[in-house]
Amino acid sequence: NTMTQEQGIEIIKAAFEQAGCDWVIPDTVTEGEINRKETGNFRGLYWIYPETNLYFGKADSLTATLIQRHKTHRAKLDVDLAELYSTPCEKKEPKTGNGTVVPGVLDFPVKHKVDIDTLPVLVWNLDHLTPQEISSIEKIVIATLEPYANSETHKKRLKNG
């Protein structure tokens, strides 16, 4: 019950139409290009690893670009815990009364199944649209793609027939 990239594009195209916005053909870039700031200095939509993954998102505010949105995506994709959790420091742990807790290992080695730097990302430059229009397209796309997005929603789809 997987979906091809072409089927996904058709769903996204229909969402543009439903939101009353003209279709924009996406560019195929890489996660590395976005993180090196070679592309993505615009507002719009993005679809990370469209062949097998359905992480679809938006950068719709007047100040946030795809580059900014991908800072945390890159840290997650790289499993860069130090980047995700900022400065590790001893913190009060409410469940232990007056005790404190120290963060665990934030630099364990990870073996990637895919090269994050060359991971394909489809991007739609939607600087010409309002944040509301971008958000509207994204909501429609997410609602339509959700059943295909992960094993949890896959189970939901099987259960609901």
Side-chain angles (χ1 to χ4, degrees):
N1 269 10
T2 56
M3 177 182 63
T4 67
Q5 184 175 326
E6 289 72 29
Q7 289 169 316
I9 298 249
E10 286 308 309
I11 286 169
I12 296 163
K13 205 173 192 175
F16 270 76
E17 197 176 316
Q18 206 177 322
C21 301
D22 287 337
W23 171 240
V24 171
I25 296 169
D27 286 325
T28 303
V29 301
T30 65
E31 190 61 33
E33 287 171 323
I34 294 170
N35 285 283
R36 287 188 300 275
K37 301 179 180 162
E38 293 163 15
T39 186
N41 193 20
F42 50 81
R43 292 178 299 117
L45 299 167
Y46 56 89
W47 186 9
I48 301 173
Y49 202 14
E51 293 92 20
T52 58
N53 180 26
L54 291 171
Y55 193 93
F56 189 83
K58 65 176 177 180
D60 69 343
S61 81
L62 296 173
T63 52
T65 63
L66 262 69
I67 290 170
Q68 286 153 322
R69 283 290 289 121
H70 278 251
K71 279 182 182 161
T72 51
H73 288 319
R74 183 60 191 247
K76 288 173 190 170
L77 289 165
D78 283 340
V79 195
D80 184 344
L81 298 182
E83 175 70 23
L84 284 170
Y85 293 103
S86 71
T87 314
C89 58
E90 208 167 303
K91 295 183 176 140
K92 285 212 176 297
E93 175 55 73
K95 289 182 289 304
T96 59
N98 62 358
T100 60
V101 65
V102 179
V105 178
L106 294 180
D107 61 352
F108 66 91
V110 175
K111 278 197 170 70
H112 283 86
K113 290 183 179 179
V114 294
D115 178 11
I116 301 306
D117 213 57
T118 59
L119 204 60
V121 184
L122 290 182
V123 296
W124 286 261
N125 181 336
L126 304 179
D127 269 342
H128 63 288
L129 298 180
T130 66
Q132 292 77 9
E133 288 170 319
I134 295 171
S135 196
S136 169
I137 296 168
E138 191 231 18
K139 279 192 181 80
I140 296 164
V141 171
I142 300 286
T144 319
L145 287 183
E146 191 212 24
Y148 300 94
N150 55 42
S151 57
E152 201 176 296
T153 49
H154 176 71
K155 288 180 195 129
K156 194 194 307 180
R157 186 170 78 250
L158 293 178
K159 196 176 77 188
N160 296 336

